[in-house]
Amino acid sequence: QVQLVETGGGSVQAGGSLRLSCAASGSILSIAVMGWYRQAAGKQRELVASITESGTTNYAESVKGRFTISKDNAKDTVYLQMNSLRPEDTAVYYCNAPRVLTATGYGYEYWGQGTQVTVSS
């Protein structure tokens, strides 16, 4: 089965930076798209950024120019570089792979356990 594990969260001052990583494990042949979501206390989960197998990226308006999503296909890992962090970026960040091709067929909607990001003012 496929598992996603996020690392890199922590606490930083406003204006600081963090780099999150999400490593996928299992008998993975390909991942068409991976994304980062976040959920702040009392709010709905929202898409922060995504990246396709071909490298096309998409960002929420609130993080454009500050966050960068990237990937390493050989390692089945996606990263989120977060710069110029603001208190409103505080949330639990989740990695998502909506469709994964494995050795035994397709799997859907895999989620990591989440990693906490806290930005203080």
Side-chain angles (χ1 to χ4, degrees), residues 31-33 51-57 71 73:
I31 304 176
V33 61
I51 186 166
T52 69
E53 190 172 18
S54 64
T56 300
T57 58
K71 62 183 176 68
N73 288 336

Side-chain angles (χ1 to χ4, degrees), residues 24-81:
S25 63
S27 301
I28 298 170
L29 300 181
S30 66
I31 304 176
V33 61
M34 295 184 72
W36 285 98
Y37 288 74
R38 67 186 181 187
Q39 187 166 22
K43 298 186 179 296
Q44 292 187 318
R45 188 172 299 186
E46 64 175 344
L47 178 66
V48 176
S50 64
I51 186 166
T52 69
E53 190 172 18
S54 64
T56 300
T57 58
N58 183 58
Y59 297 93
E61 188 277 335
S62 61
V63 308
K64 286 182 179 178
R66 300 188 299 120
F67 292 10
T68 302
I69 189 170
S70 62
K71 62 183 176 68
D72 184 338
N73 288 336
K75 297 180 179 179
D76 291 325
T77 300
V78 66
Y79 307 92
L80 186 67
Q81 179 66 47

